[in-house]
Amino acid sequence: MITFPGPVSALVSLPVPADREGIARILDLERVARDALPGVRATIPAFNRLLVEGSPSTWDPEEVEARLSAVAKECLAMAPEVEAGDTVSLPVCYDPELAPDLEDVAAGAGLSAAEVARLHSGARYTVLATGFAPGFAYLGDVDARIAMPRLRTPRRRVEAGTVGIADRRTGIYPTAGPGGWRIVGRVPPAFLADPTERISRFRAGGAVEFRAIGRDAYEAHSG
Amino acid sequence: MSPHGVVERPGPFCTIQDLGRRAGRRAGLAPGGAMDQRAFLWANRLLGNDPAAAALEITLGGFALRFAVETVVAITGARCAATLDGVEAGAWRTVRARAGQLLRLGYGAAGMRAYLAFPGGLDIATAFGSASAVVRDGLPGLLGRCLRAGEPLRWRAPDLRCPVRHVPEELIPSFPDALNLPLVVGYEWAEFSSADRDRVFDATWTVDSASDRAATRLAGPPLDTGPRVLDSTPLVDGTVQVTGDGLPLVFMRDRPTIGGYAKLGSVDPIALDALAQARPGTPVRFVRAEPDALRSALARRESFFGIRDEG
């Protein structure tokens, strides 16, 4: 489906699940769409959607719609190019002192805090989108047993490295700021990319693994 | 290298801005850029600069700069009593200054943001293709913070000989008492209740004082929070998002690239200029936009100011 959220932009939603294969298809679509359309200024892939922004002097919505739907059809007919590249591996400390929502998530799931930590760190995640803020990545899927919606009212401040859960997504706040995800752990900030060198350690389509570390190891990395 | 001028007082929020960045948007970098692009573009045009040359965005006045060289600058945007050594300097025009003179911008009489452009543009390192400061993104140096008192500045062509120019009276934008914001409906628009969709256009909203470079927040009758959005969606300039309290906000230059709340559509990108100058309390109404007309107006603006697509 193609919609037009602004005068010079198109949003393509592919009828595929927002998973590893879905983002792979969107990245394929992005590559082809950039060549198929004139004057593309920016593209943002996220989950099973692609935003295309064009130039006002060359943008013709009917033509854009025709070309994008042809390209989308093509991409859906092909096998997606699922990325096999590097896996980012990050240590996470699940100490309840650093993870104020861990007990709530555990209670909601009828599990112990340790089991929540085990389920959260036991999965291999796909980067389904990067963005919101620089360095943030939406990772999925979180085990359905520990999926929990965002807080109704976001916290005014969460620390850099905070690991949160929102429904079937998990992510790490790259810098301190307001945050509405359920906090279940923390990554020592030293493991997050310096925004002056590279915007993000994460690339859409890539993989991320967590390994649980104790409080001592967390403090040693944070010292 | 000796400065061409020193900021003696930056005022409450003074940053370096240009037309913003497209690089890095995929990875979450905010677009950034001048909040009132029309005023910014006029400032550069008066000096014959590249349309994207870096300039100062001065919020709410209270600004003073001491020149170290003889030069010429251009002032546009908010109405805020510019003086050079105490003598009225005018606005929407070029101003010649000698070494040692002090340029002041008083607290504004109308509007929010003034622009001060320099010949050739400010000489500053860029990141991801732009010199725009986005405070929340933590870019290095002046790309990640406001100017401070004592900040030395250099510009690229201090010796530029530029005739005195001013923007024709009929082209100087006014600061209206109330704004109409053309809205392109989209995103989750169709999933809001019909009562809420009517309310969006029937209500008079007011600009909330909690607005900043990331978003203009609107006060008014709360809407239902709209449909639950399962996965965050890429945002366009001027996206109107309805947050947990049911009130809409309009995303401005330092916006996030992806948003997780329900969205009504987006505001005409050109209308964001006037919105950027609207003071808290200004009444605002949404009117239905015709995307084709907005696009033609954007194309005319880009051609008039000589904005080109890079690469």
Side-chain angles (χ1 to χ4, degrees):
Chain A
M1 189 180 57
I2 298 164
T3 61
F4 296 93
V8 206
S9 55
L11 186 64
V12 188
S13 308
L14 288 184
V16 296
D19 58 10
R20 190 151 184 250
E21 224 179 89
I23 185 64
R25 282 192 195 280
I26 286 294
L27 294 171
D28 287 340
L29 177 69
E30 182 184 34
R31 278 186 288 273
V32 187
R34 288 195 81 104
D35 294 332
L37 294 173
V40 172
R41 287 185 173 176
T43 48
I44 302 181
F47 305 99
N48 52 3
R49 292 201 181 107
L50 177 70
L51 178 73
V52 181
E53 296 185 88
S55 153
S57 59
T58 53
W59 187 267
D60 170 355
E62 281 173 27
E63 187 197 345
V64 168
E65 183 159 28
R67 291 199 190 187
L68 278 179
S69 49
V71 170
K73 214 171 275 173
E74 234 173 84
C75 282
L76 287 170
M78 293 187 309
E81 251 179 71
V82 175
E83 179 152 344
D86 295 343
T87 300
V88 177
S89 178
L90 294 169
V92 181
C93 178
Y94 294 95
D95 187 308
E97 250 181 66
L98 299 175
D101 299 320
L102 190 67
E103 300 289 352
D104 279 353
V105 173
L111 299 167
S112 69
E115 283 169 308
V116 173
R118 190 180 55 76
L119 287 173
H120 185 264
S121 62
R124 185 181 159 86
Y125 297 99
T126 301
V127 179
L128 298 173
T130 55
F132 170 64
F136 192 81
Y138 297 80
L139 311 174
D141 277 354
V142 168
D143 190 295
R145 283 168 285 179
I146 58 169
M148 223 174 153
R150 268 160 244 245
L151 296 171
R152 191 171 289 274
T153 312
R155 289 188 170 85
R156 295 182 70 91
R157 184 185 163 93
V158 300
E159 296 306 318
T162 294
V163 179
I165 286 179
D167 300 307
R168 301 294 298 273
R169 311 294 172 225
T170 184
I172 307 142
Y173 289 95
T175 49
W181 290 28
R182 308 266 174 173
I183 303 174
V184 296
R186 202 186 293 176
V187 171
F191 285 84
L192 303 170
D194 178 352
T196 61
E197 289 165 12
R198 221 175 109 185
I199 303 174
S200 176
R201 288 195 67 181
F202 308 107
R203 258 178 331 117
V208 177
E209 286 173 352
F210 295 125
R211 55 178 200 280
I213 56 167
R215 185 64 185 263
D216 291 351
Y218 174 86
E219 299 298 344
H221 285 306
S222 305
Chain B
M1 282 192 294
S2 55
H4 298 140
V6 173
V7 175
E8 292 197 350
R9 286 172 55 203
F13 198 94
C14 174
T15 55
I16 294 177
Q17 296 296 336
D18 57 20
L19 289 176
R21 45 180 68 82
R22 289 177 199 152
R25 200 172 297 189
R26 252 178 128 263
L29 279 186
M35 287 285 278
D36 177 352
Q37 301 216 335
R38 173 174 46 195
F40 167 86
L41 286 162
W42 270 118
N44 275 329
R45 187 183 179 92
L46 285 168
L47 294 170
N49 284 348
D50 184 285
L56 291 184
E57 178 175 285
I58 298 156
T59 311
L60 295 171
F63 173 90
L65 179 139
R66 176 87 60 188
F67 292 100
V69 293
E70 179 169 354
T71 193
V72 59
V73 295
I75 306 169
T76 62
R79 215 178 291 144
C80 56
T83 57
L84 193 61
D85 276 356
V87 178
E88 197 185 322
W92 296 87
R93 56 167 291 173
T94 57
V95 176
R96 290 185 170 287
R98 294 187 309 275
Q101 284 194 303
L102 186 72
L103 176 73
R104 280 176 190 274
L105 269 63
Y107 285 98
M112 292 286 290
R113 295 166 169 99
Y115 293 87
L116 182 59
F118 302 88
L122 286 168
D123 189 1
I124 174 176
T126 60
F128 305 100
S130 163
S132 286
V134 177
V135 171
R136 72 162 187 134
D137 279 359
L139 293 170
L142 276 167
L143 302 183
R145 63 170 173 86
C146 295
L147 267 66
R148 301 171 185 146
E151 201 87 53
L153 296 176
R154 289 178 60 85
W155 35 101
R156 293 190 193 278
D159 304 328
L160 181 89
R161 300 180 75 82
C162 169
V164 172
R165 288 198 192 111
H166 60 89
V167 177
E169 194 71 39
E170 65 276 17
L171 294 181
I172 297 176
S174 57
F175 299 97
D177 295 333
L179 284 183
N180 279 340
L181 294 181
L183 176 71
V184 178
V185 299
Y187 288 118
E188 291 83 24
W189 169 260
E191 297 166 63
F192 279 84
S193 70
S194 70
D196 274 348
R197 292 192 309 242
D198 289 344
R199 198 165 293 138
V200 168
F201 292 114
D202 291 345
T204 297
W205 307 87
T206 53
V207 173
D208 192 89
S209 60
S211 303
D212 57 18
R213 281 189 46 93
T216 300
R217 292 171 188 279
L218 299 177
L223 308 173
D224 185 64
T225 51
R228 197 159 121 75
V229 177
L230 275 179
D231 272 319
S232 299
T233 315
L235 305 177
V236 298
D237 290 337
T239 296
V240 184
Q241 180 172 275
V242 179
T243 38
D245 52 11
L247 295 174
L249 58 80
V250 183
F251 277 127
M252 308 297 278
R253 312 294 176 200
D254 289 0
R255 62 180 172 80
T257 54
I258 290 185
Y261 290 91
K263 298 164 285 297
L264 301 168
S266 67
V267 165
D268 172 14
I270 287 182
L272 297 180
D273 294 336
L275 188 57
Q277 296 291 7
R279 295 192 163 194
T282 303
V284 166
R285 292 181 69 92
F286 289 108
V287 295
R288 262 196 191 263
E290 200 44 68
D292 291 349
L294 305 189
R295 192 166 48 251
S296 312
L298 268 176
R300 279 198 303 277
R301 164 183 285 196
E302 293 196 356
S303 138
F304 178 79
F305 285 108
I307 296 170
R308 299 167 307 276
D309 274 301
E310 67 257 34

